[in-house]
Amino acid sequence: MKRILLAAAFGAISLSACAKTPDPAAGANTAAAATATTAAAVKPAPGTADARAVAAIAGLNPNVTVETVGAAPLPGFREAIVGGQVVYVSDDGRYIFLPGAGGALFDSKAQKNLSEAALAGMRIKLLATIPQSERIVFAPENPVHTVTVFTDVECGYCRKLHSEIAEYNAQGIAVEYLAFPRMGIGSEDFEKMVSVWCADDRKAALTRAKDSGKVTDKDCKNTVTMQYDIGQRVGLTGTPMILAADGTQLGGYVPPKALREALDKLAADDKVAAADGA
């Protein structure tokens, strides 16, 4: 199924989320590129493993350009470079592996993120350990969908999402915020989020912090550290991180209407899957 997470396979999420922490070691090993063919200049011969690799990547996301494709150091796979990322595709074109932080294994035939499916169940269990009372909730009267959003008061995309909170609610989406101070425990960012979670009116404090960056300093027994730890364990690589009720990651920032469409599609597909399994 082509959900937002599939469209984001080659960088869309990273373009709509604030990085968790700077990564000076970021980059990919492209040693095999010296023997690769340039997809833009040389079309792989039909029926070859290179051609199947290019077709598989295009099937996952037709809007990306395969820059090179050729032999991989991993037996049974081809190596391609797509948007500056190294991608490995099985010789039969079915499986696509994106290594590195937030890496994932895709089944191009089933249009499914196999890594995401494995993570979803774990996320549900981890999120269940956070009491409802520790979530900052913005919800319409009768929500159709509920999402969990790991957020940060310093992140521009988190601020953009929150500036449209009324529209998310108008789309029938309840947003349950959890804290993820992306600069780490003990940082100024962390202290601001503690102050928000210790405020008498958390919703007002969070809105003020996102609007102006200002908070009234407060300290109390809180779960911000716990929420930060769980954010890391559920696979967060940037904020915001939007999770559907079934644990599926739906992106970084996603516009209200697009998020409603993705949630409706996810619910419909889950019904089909349940019927098929009955």
Side-chain angles (χ1 to χ4, degrees):
M1 181 184 65
K2 291 185 179 179
R3 300 173 187 163
I4 287 175
L5 61 93
L6 293 184
F10 300 104
I13 287 179
S14 66
L15 293 176
S16 59
C18 302
K20 179 173 67 175
T21 54
D23 183 6
N29 179 10
T30 59
T35 59
T37 58
T38 303
V42 180
K43 293 183 179 180
T48 63
D50 283 0
R52 288 190 289 271
V54 171
I57 292 169
L60 186 67
N61 188 338
N63 298 317
V64 299
T65 299
V66 179
E67 299 165 19
T68 65
V69 62
L74 186 65
F77 281 77
R78 307 305 287 171
E79 180 181 81
I81 297 179
V82 184
Q85 298 185 56
V86 176
V87 179
Y88 296 102
V89 185
S90 60
D91 287 345
D92 63 3
R94 177 160 185 174
Y95 298 103
I96 303 174
F97 176 59
L98 283 70
L105 178 66
F106 290 86
D107 182 332
S108 65
K109 182 177 180 180
Q111 292 288 288
K112 185 176 183 180
N113 183 333
L114 301 177
S115 301
E116 183 67 21
L119 283 169
M122 179 195 69
R123 287 173 179 149
I124 292 173
K125 293 179 181 178
L126 287 172
L127 292 175
T129 66
I130 302 175
Q132 188 65 28
S133 61
E134 289 302 306
R135 303 159 189 247
I136 300 180
V137 181
F138 289 80
E141 186 173 350
N142 296 299
V144 179
H145 301 291
T146 298
V147 296
T148 299
V149 179
F150 281 91
T151 194
D152 173 50
V153 296
E154 298 291 352
C155 168
Y157 282 109
C158 295
R159 289 175 175 171
K160 180 172 177 56
L161 188 154
H162 192 67
S163 72
E164 299 171 351
I165 199 68
E167 181 57 27
Y168 287 102
N169 289 170
Q171 290 287 340
I173 302 170
V175 176
E176 297 188 350
Y177 280 124
L178 295 178
F180 192 89
R182 63 192 179 91
M183 300 311 293
I185 304 298
S187 64
E188 181 180 355
D189 185 20
F190 173 82
E191 297 300 333
K192 284 184 178 181
M193 299 208 76
V194 167
S195 293
V196 167
W197 254 257
C198 289
D200 294 332
D201 186 338
R202 291 176 178 172
K203 292 173 67 174
L206 183 64
T207 297
R208 181 168 182 254
K210 287 179 179 288
D211 287 348
S212 67
K214 297 179 180 179
V215 295
T216 300
D217 291 339
K218 286 205 169 188
D219 195 9
C220 65
K221 184 177 180 180
N222 65 82
T223 60
V224 171
T225 297
M226 172 191 179
Q227 294 176 47
Y228 177 83
D229 176 64
I230 288 178
Q232 292 183 309
R233 294 169 65 188
V234 300
L236 185 150
T237 57
T239 54
M241 180 190 197
I242 303 175
L243 298 175
D246 69 350
T248 299
Q249 181 178 356
L250 293 174
Y253 166 77
V254 180
K257 184 178 179 181
L259 184 58
R260 173 59 192 263
E261 291 173 353
L263 290 166
D264 286 346
K265 182 70 164 59
L266 182 60
D269 286 348
D270 285 346
K271 287 182 179 179
V272 171
D276 290 343

